[in-house]
PDB file of all heavy atoms in Angstrom:
ATOM      1  N   ILE Z 156     105.412 108.163 -71.278  1.00  0.00           N
ATOM      2  CA  ILE Z 156     106.557 108.417 -70.397  1.00  0.00           C
ATOM      3  C   ILE Z 156     107.373 109.588 -70.881  1.00  0.00           C
ATOM      4  O   ILE Z 156     107.799 110.434 -70.074  1.00  0.00           O
ATOM      5  CB  ILE Z 156     107.444 107.153 -70.338  1.00  0.00           C
ATOM      6  CG1 ILE Z 156     106.656 105.981 -69.710  1.00  0.00           C
ATOM      7  CG2 ILE Z 156     108.698 107.415 -69.510  1.00  0.00           C
ATOM      8  CD1 ILE Z 156     107.379 104.665 -69.753  1.00  0.00           C
ATOM      9  N   GLY Z 157     107.545 109.704 -72.205  1.00  0.00           N
ATOM     10  CA  GLY Z 157     108.332 110.801 -72.741  1.00  0.00           C
ATOM     11  C   GLY Z 157     107.684 112.158 -72.474  1.00  0.00           C
ATOM     12  O   GLY Z 157     108.360 113.083 -72.043  1.00  0.00           O
ATOM     13  N   SER Z 158     106.373 112.282 -72.723  1.00  0.00           N
ATOM     14  CA  SER Z 158     105.697 113.546 -72.493  1.00  0.00           C
ATOM     15  C   SER Z 158     105.749 113.972 -71.028  1.00  0.00           C
ATOM     16  O   SER Z 158     105.997 115.138 -70.705  1.00  0.00           O
ATOM     17  CB  SER Z 158     104.268 113.475 -72.989  1.00  0.00           C
ATOM     18  OG  SER Z 158     103.535 112.486 -72.264  1.00  0.00           O
ATOM     19  N   ILE Z 159     105.498 113.024 -70.127  1.00  0.00           N
ATOM     20  CA  ILE Z 159     105.499 113.336 -68.685  1.00  0.00           C
ATOM     21  C   ILE Z 159     106.875 113.747 -68.235  1.00  0.00           C
ATOM     22  O   ILE Z 159     107.036 114.718 -67.459  1.00  0.00           O
ATOM     23  CB  ILE Z 159     104.983 112.128 -67.872  1.00  0.00           C
ATOM     24  CG1 ILE Z 159     103.531 111.864 -68.222  1.00  0.00           C
ATOM     25  CG2 ILE Z 159     105.150 112.381 -66.385  1.00  0.00           C
ATOM     26  CD1 ILE Z 159     103.028 110.531 -67.728  1.00  0.00           C
ATOM     27  N   SER Z 160     107.901 113.045 -68.666  1.00  0.00           N
ATOM     28  CA  SER Z 160     109.282 113.385 -68.279  1.00  0.00           C
ATOM     29  C   SER Z 160     109.664 114.786 -68.753  1.00  0.00           C
ATOM     30  O   SER Z 160     110.312 115.517 -68.010  1.00  0.00           O
ATOM     31  CB  SER Z 160     110.261 112.342 -68.829  1.00  0.00           C
ATOM     32  OG  SER Z 160     109.958 111.051 -68.353  1.00  0.00           O
ATOM     33  N   VAL Z 161     109.244 115.126 -69.963  1.00  0.00           N
ATOM     34  CA  VAL Z 161     109.579 116.441 -70.497  1.00  0.00           C
ATOM     35  C   VAL Z 161     108.823 117.545 -69.734  1.00  0.00           C
ATOM     36  O   VAL Z 161     109.371 118.630 -69.447  1.00  0.00           O
ATOM     37  CB  VAL Z 161     109.279 116.538 -72.000  1.00  0.00           C
ATOM     38  CG1 VAL Z 161     109.489 117.961 -72.528  1.00  0.00           C
ATOM     39  CG2 VAL Z 161     110.153 115.585 -72.781  1.00  0.00           C
ATOM     40  N   ILE Z 162     107.560 117.292 -69.378  1.00  0.00           N
ATOM     41  CA  ILE Z 162     106.772 118.246 -68.613  1.00  0.00           C
ATOM     42  C   ILE Z 162     107.455 118.523 -67.257  1.00  0.00           C
ATOM     43  O   ILE Z 162     107.622 119.672 -66.843  1.00  0.00           O
ATOM     44  CB  ILE Z 162     105.337 117.755 -68.378  1.00  0.00           C
ATOM     45  CG1 ILE Z 162     104.562 117.831 -69.701  1.00  0.00           C
ATOM     46  CG2 ILE Z 162     104.620 118.571 -67.318  1.00  0.00           C
ATOM     47  CD1 ILE Z 162     103.186 117.207 -69.657  1.00  0.00           C
ATOM     48  N   ILE Z 163     107.861 117.455 -66.569  1.00  0.00           N
ATOM     49  CA  ILE Z 163     108.512 117.623 -65.271  1.00  0.00           C
ATOM     50  C   ILE Z 163     109.870 118.340 -65.449  1.00  0.00           C
ATOM     51  O   ILE Z 163     110.213 119.208 -64.644  1.00  0.00           O
ATOM     52  CB  ILE Z 163     108.738 116.253 -64.596  1.00  0.00           C
ATOM     53  CG1 ILE Z 163     107.367 115.667 -64.206  1.00  0.00           C
ATOM     54  CG2 ILE Z 163     109.616 116.390 -63.350  1.00  0.00           C
ATOM     55  CD1 ILE Z 163     107.426 114.272 -63.613  1.00  0.00           C
ATOM     56  N   THR Z 164     110.610 118.024 -66.508  1.00  0.00           N
ATOM     57  CA  THR Z 164     111.869 118.725 -66.787  1.00  0.00           C
ATOM     58  C   THR Z 164     111.628 120.211 -67.000  1.00  0.00           C
ATOM     59  O   THR Z 164     112.395 121.053 -66.479  1.00  0.00           O
ATOM     60  CB  THR Z 164     112.553 118.087 -68.005  1.00  0.00           C
ATOM     61  OG1 THR Z 164     112.809 116.721 -67.788  1.00  0.00           O
ATOM     62  CG2 THR Z 164     113.867 118.817 -68.306  1.00  0.00           C
ATOM     63  N   ALA Z 165     110.604 120.519 -67.763  1.00  0.00           N
ATOM     64  CA  ALA Z 165     110.266 121.943 -68.012  1.00  0.00           C
ATOM     65  C   ALA Z 165     109.931 122.692 -66.712  1.00  0.00           C
ATOM     66  O   ALA Z 165     110.353 123.849 -66.513  1.00  0.00           O
ATOM     67  CB  ALA Z 165     109.099 122.041 -68.966  1.00  0.00           C
ATOM     68  N   ILE Z 166     109.226 122.025 -65.803  1.00  0.00           N
ATOM     69  CA  ILE Z 166     108.866 122.650 -64.531  1.00  0.00           C
ATOM     70  C   ILE Z 166     110.112 122.883 -63.700  1.00  0.00           C
ATOM     71  O   ILE Z 166     110.283 123.973 -63.092  1.00  0.00           O
ATOM     72  CB  ILE Z 166     107.884 121.741 -63.776  1.00  0.00           C
ATOM     73  CG1 ILE Z 166     106.524 121.727 -64.522  1.00  0.00           C
ATOM     74  CG2 ILE Z 166     107.668 122.227 -62.340  1.00  0.00           C
ATOM     75  CD1 ILE Z 166     105.551 120.690 -63.996  1.00  0.00           C
ATOM     76  N   VAL Z 167     111.003 121.922 -63.685  1.00  0.00           N
ATOM     77  CA  VAL Z 167     112.250 122.070 -62.905  1.00  0.00           C
ATOM     78  C   VAL Z 167     113.135 123.171 -63.488  1.00  0.00           C
ATOM     79  O   VAL Z 167     113.757 123.952 -62.755  1.00  0.00           O
ATOM     80  CB  VAL Z 167     113.029 120.720 -62.887  1.00  0.00           C
ATOM     81  CG1 VAL Z 167     114.385 120.886 -62.216  1.00  0.00           C
ATOM     82  CG2 VAL Z 167     112.196 119.651 -62.155  1.00  0.00           C
ATOM     83  N   LEU Z 168     113.197 123.252 -64.805  1.00  0.00           N
ATOM     84  CA  LEU Z 168     113.985 124.346 -65.444  1.00  0.00           C
ATOM     85  C   LEU Z 168     113.404 125.702 -65.081  1.00  0.00           C
ATOM     86  O   LEU Z 168     114.164 126.677 -64.951  1.00  0.00           O
ATOM     87  CB  LEU Z 168     114.006 124.137 -66.967  1.00  0.00           C
ATOM     88  CG  LEU Z 168     114.863 122.988 -67.479  1.00  0.00           C
ATOM     89  CD1 LEU Z 168     114.728 122.877 -68.995  1.00  0.00           C
ATOM     90  CD2 LEU Z 168     116.321 123.202 -67.087  1.00  0.00           C
ATOM     91  N   SER Z 169     112.078 125.796 -64.930  1.00  0.00           N
ATOM     92  CA  SER Z 169     111.476 127.066 -64.505  1.00  0.00           C
ATOM     93  C   SER Z 169     111.983 127.450 -63.084  1.00  0.00           C
ATOM     94  O   SER Z 169     112.200 128.609 -62.825  1.00  0.00           O
ATOM     95  CB  SER Z 169     109.977 126.936 -64.527  1.00  0.00           C
ATOM     96  OG  SER Z 169     109.508 126.690 -65.843  1.00  0.00           O
ATOM     97  N   GLY Z 170     112.094 126.417 -62.240  1.00  0.00           N
ATOM     98  CA  GLY Z 170     112.679 126.709 -60.917  1.00  0.00           C
ATOM     99  C   GLY Z 170     114.107 127.122 -60.996  1.00  0.00           C
ATOM    100  O   GLY Z 170     114.556 128.014 -60.247  1.00  0.00           O
ATOM    101  N   MET Z 171     114.855 126.504 -61.906  1.00  0.00           N
ATOM    102  CA  MET Z 171     116.250 126.921 -62.127  1.00  0.00           C
ATOM    103  C   MET Z 171     116.321 128.364 -62.550  1.00  0.00           C
ATOM    104  O   MET Z 171     117.231 129.094 -62.143  1.00  0.00           O
ATOM    105  CB  MET Z 171     116.889 126.034 -63.209  1.00  0.00           C
ATOM    106  CG  MET Z 171     117.553 124.779 -62.695  1.00  0.00           C
ATOM    107  SD  MET Z 171     118.439 123.942 -64.064  1.00  0.00           S
ATOM    108  CE  MET Z 171     119.702 125.151 -64.412  1.00  0.00           C
ATOM    109  N   PHE Z 172     115.392 128.782 -63.407  1.00  0.00           N
ATOM    110  CA  PHE Z 172     115.386 130.172 -63.864  1.00  0.00           C
ATOM    111  C   PHE Z 172     115.229 131.121 -62.685  1.00  0.00           C
ATOM    112  O   PHE Z 172     115.895 132.148 -62.627  1.00  0.00           O
ATOM    113  CB  PHE Z 172     114.251 130.353 -64.865  1.00  0.00           C
ATOM    114  CG  PHE Z 172     113.969 131.820 -65.161  1.00  0.00           C
ATOM    115  CD1 PHE Z 172     114.801 132.528 -65.995  1.00  0.00           C
ATOM    116  CD2 PHE Z 172     112.884 132.444 -64.574  1.00  0.00           C
ATOM    117  CE1 PHE Z 172     114.567 133.886 -66.249  1.00  0.00           C
ATOM    118  CE2 PHE Z 172     112.654 133.805 -64.830  1.00  0.00           C
ATOM    119  CZ  PHE Z 172     113.495 134.504 -65.670  1.00  0.00           C
ATOM    120  N   ILE Z 173     114.336 130.789 -61.753  1.00  0.00           N
ATOM    121  CA  ILE Z 173     114.177 131.650 -60.580  1.00  0.00           C
ATOM    122  C   ILE Z 173     115.473 131.760 -59.799  1.00  0.00           C
ATOM    123  O   ILE Z 173     115.914 132.843 -59.417  1.00  0.00           O
ATOM    124  CB  ILE Z 173     113.064 131.091 -59.668  1.00  0.00           C
ATOM    125  CG1 ILE Z 173     111.712 131.130 -60.360  1.00  0.00           C
ATOM    126  CG2 ILE Z 173     113.004 131.831 -58.360  1.00  0.00           C
ATOM    127  CD1 ILE Z 173     110.602 130.454 -59.607  1.00  0.00           C
ATOM    128  N   GLY Z 174     116.107 130.615 -59.596  1.00  0.00           N
ATOM    129  CA  GLY Z 174     117.374 130.608 -58.843  1.00  0.00           C
ATOM    130  C   GLY Z 174     118.459 131.454 -59.539  1.00  0.00           C
ATOM    131  O   GLY Z 174     119.151 132.272 -58.912  1.00  0.00           O
ATOM    132  N   LEU Z 175     118.572 131.302 -60.850  1.00  0.00           N
ATOM    133  CA  LEU Z 175     119.594 132.045 -61.594  1.00  0.00           C
ATOM    134  C   LEU Z 175     119.300 133.528 -61.600  1.00  0.00           C
ATOM    135  O   LEU Z 175     120.216 134.369 -61.568  1.00  0.00           O
ATOM    136  CB  LEU Z 175     119.700 131.510 -63.013  1.00  0.00           C
ATOM    137  CG  LEU Z 175     120.246 130.078 -63.173  1.00  0.00           C
ATOM    138  CD1 LEU Z 175     120.152 129.609 -64.597  1.00  0.00           C
ATOM    139  CD2 LEU Z 175     121.680 129.989 -62.651  1.00  0.00           C
ATOM    140  N   SER Z 176     118.017 133.908 -61.653  1.00  0.00           N
ATOM    141  CA  SER Z 176     117.666 135.327 -61.634  1.00  0.00           C
ATOM    142  C   SER Z 176     117.950 135.953 -60.267  1.00  0.00           C
ATOM    143  O   SER Z 176     118.340 137.106 -60.194  1.00  0.00           O
ATOM    144  CB  SER Z 176     116.202 135.520 -62.013  1.00  0.00           C
ATOM    145  OG  SER Z 176     115.349 134.970 -61.047  1.00  0.00           O
ATOM    146  N   ILE Z 177     117.758 135.183 -59.198  1.00  0.00           N
ATOM    147  CA  ILE Z 177     118.102 135.701 -57.844  1.00  0.00           C
ATOM    148  C   ILE Z 177     119.609 135.858 -57.725  1.00  0.00           C
ATOM    149  O   ILE Z 177     120.089 136.856 -57.166  1.00  0.00           O
ATOM    150  CB  ILE Z 177     117.579 134.730 -56.753  1.00  0.00           C
ATOM    151  CG1 ILE Z 177     116.040 134.742 -56.736  1.00  0.00           C
ATOM    152  CG2 ILE Z 177     118.094 135.121 -55.379  1.00  0.00           C
ATOM    153  CD1 ILE Z 177     115.433 133.725 -55.810  1.00  0.00           C
ATOM    154  N   ILE Z 178     120.373 134.918 -58.267  1.00  0.00           N
ATOM    155  CA  ILE Z 178     121.839 135.055 -58.270  1.00  0.00           C
ATOM    156  C   ILE Z 178     122.235 136.292 -59.049  1.00  0.00           C
ATOM    157  O   ILE Z 178     123.143 137.065 -58.647  1.00  0.00           O
ATOM    158  CB  ILE Z 178     122.487 133.792 -58.875  1.00  0.00           C
ATOM    159  CG1 ILE Z 178     122.237 132.582 -57.963  1.00  0.00           C
ATOM    160  CG2 ILE Z 178     123.984 134.009 -59.087  1.00  0.00           C
ATOM    161  CD1 ILE Z 178     122.644 131.267 -58.587  1.00  0.00           C
ATOM    162  N   GLU Z 179     121.599 136.540 -60.150  1.00  0.00           N
ATOM    163  CA  GLU Z 179     121.850 137.745 -60.909  1.00  0.00           C
ATOM    164  C   GLU Z 179     121.558 138.999 -60.128  1.00  0.00           C
ATOM    165  O   GLU Z 179     122.341 139.972 -60.143  1.00  0.00           O
ATOM    166  CB  GLU Z 179     120.982 137.739 -62.190  1.00  0.00           C
ATOM    167  CG  GLU Z 179     121.085 138.965 -63.079  1.00  0.00           C
ATOM    168  CD  GLU Z 179     122.312 138.981 -63.961  1.00  0.00           C
ATOM    169  OE1 GLU Z 179     122.977 137.931 -64.070  1.00  0.00           O
ATOM    170  OE2 GLU Z 179     122.598 140.028 -64.555  1.00  0.00           O
ATOM    171  N   ASP Z 180     120.465 139.007 -59.353  1.00  0.00           N
ATOM    172  CA  ASP Z 180     120.147 140.152 -58.511  1.00  0.00           C
ATOM    173  C   ASP Z 180     121.216 140.370 -57.443  1.00  0.00           C
ATOM    174  O   ASP Z 180     121.566 141.515 -57.134  1.00  0.00           O
ATOM    175  CB  ASP Z 180     118.797 139.926 -57.825  1.00  0.00           C
ATOM    176  CG  ASP Z 180     117.631 140.044 -58.778  1.00  0.00           C
ATOM    177  OD1 ASP Z 180     117.853 140.598 -59.917  1.00  0.00           O
ATOM    178  OD2 ASP Z 180     116.509 139.655 -58.431  1.00  0.00           O
ATOM    179  N   LYS Z 181     121.756 139.261 -56.900  1.00  0.00           N
ATOM    180  CA  LYS Z 181     122.770 139.399 -55.885  1.00  0.00           C
ATOM    181  C   LYS Z 181     124.077 139.913 -56.469  1.00  0.00           C
ATOM    182  O   LYS Z 181     124.736 140.792 -55.889  1.00  0.00           O
ATOM    183  CB  LYS Z 181     123.021 138.017 -55.240  1.00  0.00           C
ATOM    184  CG  LYS Z 181     121.893 137.534 -54.324  1.00  0.00           C
ATOM    185  CD  LYS Z 181     122.034 136.071 -53.994  1.00  0.00           C
ATOM    186  CE  LYS Z 181     123.307 135.772 -53.248  1.00  0.00           C
ATOM    187  NZ  LYS Z 181     123.383 134.354 -52.880  1.00  0.00           N
TER     188      LYS Z 181
END
Side-chain angles (χ1 to χ4, degrees):
I156 297 173
S158 61
I159 295 168
S160 300
V161 175
I162 287 173
I163 293 177
T164 300
I166 292 170
V167 174
L168 287 177
S169 298
M171 271 187 65
F172 167 77
I173 294 173
L175 293 174
S176 66
I177 293 174
I178 294 171
E179 176 80 11
D180 288 345
K181 289 166 60 178

